[in-house]
Amino acid sequence: MDLRSDVVKFGVERAPHRAIWKCLGVTDEDFSKPFIGIANSFTDLVPGHMHLDKLVQYVKAGVRAAGGVPFEFNTIAICDGLAMGHKGMHYSLPSRELIADSIEVMAEAYHFDGLVLLTNCDKITPGMIMAAARLNVPAIVVTGGPMLSGRYGRRRVDVTAIFEAIGEYSAGKISLEGLKVLEDYAFPSCGSCNGMYTANTMACVAEALGLSLPGCATALAVSSKKLRIAKKSGERIVEMVKEDLKPSEILTRKAFENAIAVDMALGGSTNAVLHVKAIAEEAGVELPLRTFDEIARRVPHICDMRPSGPYDMEELDAAGGIPAVMKTLGERLHLDALTVTGKTVGENIKDAIIYDTEVIRPLDNPVHREGGIAVLFGNLAPKGAVTKTTAISPRMLVHRGPARVFDSEEDAMKAILNREINSGDVIVIRYEGPKGGPGMREMLSPTAAIAGMGLSNSVALITDGRFSGATRGPCIGHVSPEAAEGGPIASLKDGDIVSIDIPARRLDVELSDEEIKQRLSSWKPRPPKIFKGYLRRYWYFVQSADTGGTFRSPSPEL
């Protein structure tokens, strides 16, 4: 069997290479075996990744058992919770591109025959999948699994509870002592946050795309099930190399439509729109923003997951996980799409069982008739904006109110905590998009403060930035074009009446086209808030959110 790695192993001229391999413990017998690269995002800075140094040992055992030779290397990983609300969040989304690039560099330098992508959190999982699509080398994704839910008496607590507690404290609803107790109980174990936040959304997307073994996305980080899946994934990647099963055969238009359908059924994070579009771009699959809305119209929301619903990832796993969700969706999916098992989606899920029809509801009794994400257009968002409909109270699906305009997250947060926001207001946070940030920061701090102060049913928030998967309430992000590119959101002034109509998929300001054009005629680009190092390069290449925040080619001919 000819292997991709042969170029760095065989021939007289490769004697120096073999000497280096032998220095690493490779034997003469190993040279005929597939060389498998394991991209591990282990770090002791992220709860979702703090256990991956242990999990990787099971992946390696599987590779060896199947006749391969494993080689581990690492990528960076940012915890959005730790980066939230300060300068660090400027670097979170941009890290996705760095992760994809770093895996490309390692895989091409060493000519691995296959890749195992060991990942778990928000930007790391899509960054790794982007690399797999770009390289088109046999690859399998192993997500590290969700954490347990925290318990505070009989109350279930998590990342949402602790962030919203800041607003509760500001509103006098909780004491400093109560806040301290939540700190102690919110994150009880290793793993990604316990609900359908961005990390777990992307784990589910990876499985729905066909890149992970069935059951991988929801298997808890602390479970033996996760260890077994890791070992089986190590075994399977060696078989995939022998079968020459590549991402290009899996990452088809059908696979992306399946992933979007599953995301809609789960009510996943709006960040999935950015990441799925970016992965599709790497895979060479055209995926217009409107596709997400079209699928949402025909796929119901059937899993009422945290943060807006009652169920956590442990309960979803016990109910049957993603195979059971896909079994429920049935003919709404492309059952003939190929997966890393070498089998189709239909073959993978034919024996799946739905163990709990409260957690995974039947199609004739959904949580909502439509999927969890809506794409809005209008004179404020000519290229689109995104909102998580499942997190919005029915009374706020249509809203009209005066704009309160802020040019940074910090300014908005200050006004919220100073109780300067009134019922009915539409908070506008701009110059926080991919270029304006730069880095398109998440807005969990202001949205959580609004929720904690009891304003979610009376105040809306729109931004050219993005939201955490923990966000609840009428929050509309990804407004495109962004303010930094002279989009209409840059023309807004305090008091302008903003109209939101989510059922009609509209986001408008009650101004004439002529008035908007007149205001923008005097608009001048603002200097980036950070203009050095990596963010300077990122600012130069990054495109608006409607593209997935991907990079443009450096010159027209490229």
Side-chain angles (χ1 to χ4, degrees):
M1 177 178 62
D2 292 332
L3 294 171
R4 187 170 181 267
S5 61
D6 287 352
V7 72
V8 292
K9 294 188 295 190
F10 296 124
V12 172
E13 70 279 11
R14 295 296 183 243
H17 300 70
R18 288 191 295 275
I20 295 172
W21 289 121
K22 288 179 179 180
C23 180
L24 298 171
V26 176
T27 66
D28 286 327
E29 291 74 22
D30 286 336
F31 286 122
S32 62
K33 302 173 183 177
F35 279 17
I36 305 298
I38 304 173
N40 186 359
S41 55
F42 162 75
T43 171
D44 53 16
L45 280 165
V46 188
H49 299 244
M50 60 191 284
H51 63 304
L52 298 187
D53 58 332
K54 310 294 190 303
L55 193 60
V56 73
Q57 301 306 323
Y58 290 84
V59 175
K60 291 178 180 178
V63 170
R64 294 189 184 103
V69 184
F71 297 94
E72 179 185 358
F73 62 94
N74 293 97
T75 70
I76 59 172
I78 289 178
C79 175
D80 278 17
L82 288 176
M84 196 75 66
H86 59 85
K87 180 180 178 181
M89 184 49 72
H90 287 282
Y91 292 87
S92 177
L93 181 61
S95 73
R96 185 186 71 183
E97 269 55 38
L98 279 177
I99 290 164
D101 290 349
S102 67
I103 293 173
E104 175 194 355
V105 166
M106 292 294 286
E108 296 288 31
Y110 291 99
H111 275 256
F112 293 125
D113 299 301
L115 290 169
V116 178
L117 306 173
L118 184 55
T119 174
N120 209 29
C121 286
D122 297 24
K123 316 306 168 300
I124 300 92
T125 298
M128 288 196 176
I129 299 175
M130 288 165 67
R134 183 186 305 172
L135 290 161
N136 202 30
V137 171
I140 193 167
V141 176
V142 181
T143 47
M147 68 170 61
L148 298 168
S149 291
R151 301 283 176 175
Y152 173 26
R154 292 190 174 185
R155 181 184 174 190
R156 188 178 305 177
V157 294
D158 53 19
V159 60
T160 303
I162 187 63
F163 270 94
E164 292 184 358
I166 298 169
E168 292 171 3
Y169 174 73
S170 179
K173 298 178 181 179
I174 189 173
S175 67
L176 279 176
E177 291 75 17
L179 186 61
K180 170 66 165 59
V181 171
L182 283 175
E183 287 180 28
D184 294 341
Y185 286 91
F187 298 94
S189 73
C190 62
S192 49
C193 297
N194 67 334
M196 199 52 65
Y197 307 107
T198 305
N200 289 323
T201 296
M202 291 312 301
C204 296
V205 164
E207 186 174 330
L209 280 170
L211 291 175
S212 295
L213 292 183
C216 183
T218 59
L220 291 175
V222 297
S223 68
S224 296
K225 178 181 178 181
K226 179 61 69 179
L227 303 180
R228 294 192 297 272
I229 288 174
K231 186 175 182 182
K232 288 180 179 178
S233 297
E235 294 172 350
R236 180 60 195 151
I237 189 60
V238 177
E239 296 166 357
M240 289 173 65
V241 169
K242 294 175 181 177
E243 297 164 7
D244 197 28
L245 178 54
K246 296 177 179 177
S248 58
E249 299 173 69
I250 297 169
L251 293 176
T252 62
R253 171 74 187 215
K254 290 181 177 180
F256 283 103
E257 291 185 0
N258 283 348
I260 295 170
V262 169
D263 184 35
M264 296 303 167
L266 295 171
S269 167
T270 53
N271 284 316
V273 178
L274 284 172
H275 300 321
V276 171
K277 279 188 65 66
I279 295 165
E281 170 103 352
E282 293 285 0
V285 174
E286 187 176 351
L287 200 64
L289 190 58
R290 290 185 184 275
T291 304
F292 291 82
D293 201 69
E294 291 166 0
I295 293 175
R297 297 279 195 177
R298 61 179 174 81
V299 175
H301 174 216
I302 59 173
C303 298
D304 203 6
M305 304 295 297
R306 296 181 73 86
S308 54
Y311 301 115
D312 63 13
M313 294 299 292
E314 183 176 2
E315 289 164 309
L316 179 59
D317 188 59
I322 299 307
V325 173
M326 297 182 84
K327 181 74 171 283
T328 301
L329 293 178
E331 295 301 323
R332 283 174 168 78
L333 301 175
H334 299 287
L335 298 177
D336 59 342
L338 189 62
T339 73
V340 291
T341 65
K343 300 176 182 177
T344 64
V345 168
E347 290 172 318
N348 285 346
I349 67 173
K350 66 180 176 65
D351 296 323
I353 300 173
I354 299 94
Y355 292 101
D356 189 333
T357 55
E358 289 297 317
V359 178
I360 303 174
R361 293 166 70 158
L363 295 178
D364 59 2
N365 182 33
V367 184
H368 297 97
R369 290 187 302 104
E370 295 184 351
I373 291 174
V375 180
L376 315 184
F377 293 90
N379 67 0
L380 260 183
K383 292 188 177 180
V386 177
T387 189
K388 186 174 180 177
T389 58
T390 56
I392 302 174
S393 166
R395 62 187 283 188
M396 288 296 289
L397 291 173
V398 177
H399 181 74
R400 179 179 177 273
R404 295 292 309 279
V405 183
F406 304 93
D407 289 344
S408 72
E409 177 188 2
E410 288 82 0
D411 289 347
M413 190 66 177
K414 187 182 302 181
I416 294 167
L417 294 181
N418 287 341
R419 306 178 72 83
E420 297 171 10
I421 303 301
N422 301 313
S423 177
D425 284 350
V426 177
I427 300 171
V428 178
I429 305 177
R430 63 190 180 189
Y431 295 101
E432 291 288 5
K435 190 177 289 291
M440 201 179 185
R441 293 190 288 175
E442 284 187 346
M443 301 291 160
L444 178 56
S445 293
T447 59
I450 290 168
M453 297 172 76
L455 297 173
S456 286
N457 289 330
S458 61
V459 171
L461 191 155
I462 69 173
T463 180
D464 52 10
R466 61 193 178 89
F467 296 115
S468 162
T471 294
R472 296 193 291 169
C475 300
I476 300 167
H478 307 197
V479 173
S480 300
E482 62 175 296
E485 293 188 332
I489 192 172
S491 72
L492 286 183
K493 297 178 180 179
D494 277 348
D496 288 341
I497 301 301
V498 175
S499 173
I500 300 167
D501 190 335
I502 291 171
R505 303 302 198 255
R506 297 292 304 181
L507 177 63
D508 296 284
V509 58
E510 295 181 7
L511 297 173
S512 67
D513 292 343
E514 291 75 17
E515 174 66 17
I516 294 173
K517 185 176 180 180
Q518 174 63 32
R519 291 187 186 184
L520 289 177
S521 66
S522 60
W523 173 85
K524 294 181 180 179
R526 295 180 174 223
K529 296 166 188 171
I530 302 174
F531 201 53
K532 62 180 181 180
Y534 175 55
L535 286 185
R536 181 172 183 168
R537 283 176 280 147
Y538 183 83
W539 173 87
Y540 181 80
F541 288 112
V542 74
Q543 303 178 98
S544 195
D546 61 294
T547 71
T550 53
F551 282 178
R552 62 181 174 84
S553 296
S555 60
E557 60 269 20
L558 296 178

